[in-house]
Amino acid sequence: MLLLQFSTSHYCRKARLGLGYKQINYKSENLTPGLHILRVKPLTGLKTLPVLLPQVVGQPDAIADSTAILKFLETYQTEPPLFLPDHEQQAEAWMLEDWLDESIGTATRFVYYQFRAGEGKQIDPSLLSQTVISVVRQQYGINQASVELAKNRLVTAFSELSIRWQRNDYLVGNRLSVADISAAALLSPLALIPQYRQGYPWLFERIVQIHQLCNEPLPPGL
């Protein structure tokens, strides 16, 4: 299998966690933002990453979107399971996955790129890095006002996740699910921002634990 990705994308990290948890051998190909469209659009009709190429007879040629990749992995290899045996719990896990994917992952992106353009510029001040950051900020309309809204969404997310993880080792049920993988991946960029590392140590402890369960190298900052 081949995973087309941006090496720093938290959505691509989500796909890697799924692959790692399933213990599936794969290779990754890092694409250049902007130029990646030439590679992925003919395959999927979309401009987004990650894209998984199973390269297996009888399987789809290409699977776009991290959520679709997790669903594919569960049908391709059932063990160890990512889906919970209880249908109500699995429905709850998908609800959390969707919320994290559509709302909280976006909020993380806004806060992270605002940080990288300012206080965190020293992480990588190279022209290429700063150009990518500038393009992303323009593409998504990242500014002070939108970042403040994103920060508020993150506070709500931390409250919900804290309640669930204090009650249990997992967000839903008694084992790892798509909800845990999504939370660990989509909040991981915040590890580079001191105020979050200091304010929410329990969050990053869980992110580390989930990466270890999935045999995935820790994200920057951890």
Side-chain angles (χ1 to χ4, degrees), residues 163-215:
I163 292 170
R164 288 175 177 271
W165 269 332
Q166 285 179 4
R167 189 172 58 207
N168 196 349
D169 287 339
Y170 303 101
L171 292 177
V172 183
N174 59 3
R175 69 182 190 210
L176 194 77
S177 74
V178 294
D180 298 288
I181 281 182
S182 298
L186 299 179
L187 292 167
S188 64
L190 301 177
L192 285 171
I193 304 178
Q195 72 182 76
Y196 290 106
R197 282 296 307 277
Q198 295 164 9
Y200 303 94
W202 57 268
L203 172 66
F204 299 100
E205 289 173 6
R206 288 301 295 142
I207 288 175
V208 167
Q209 291 165 358
I210 291 166
H211 276 72
Q212 291 170 341
L213 279 173
C214 296
N215 303 298

Side-chain angles (χ1 to χ4, degrees), residues 2-5 29 31 35-55 59-65 69:
L2 178 64
L3 182 69
L4 305 180
Q5 65 167 7
E29 181 180 333
L31 303 184
L35 295 178
H36 76 283
I37 296 172
L38 301 176
R39 180 86 160 91
V40 302
K41 194 170 184 182
L43 294 169
T44 66
L46 302 172
K47 300 178 181 179
T48 56
L49 291 174
V51 171
L52 182 67
L53 309 181
Q55 300 175 319
Q59 300 296 340
D61 292 334
I63 302 155
D65 183 75
I69 289 171

Side-chain angles (χ1 to χ4, degrees), residues 1-5 7 16 19 26-31:
M1 292 194 185
L2 178 64
L3 182 69
L4 305 180
Q5 65 167 7
S7 61
R16 294 199 307 271
L19 285 159
Y26 73 98
K27 294 181 179 180
S28 58
E29 181 180 333
N30 296 326
L31 303 184

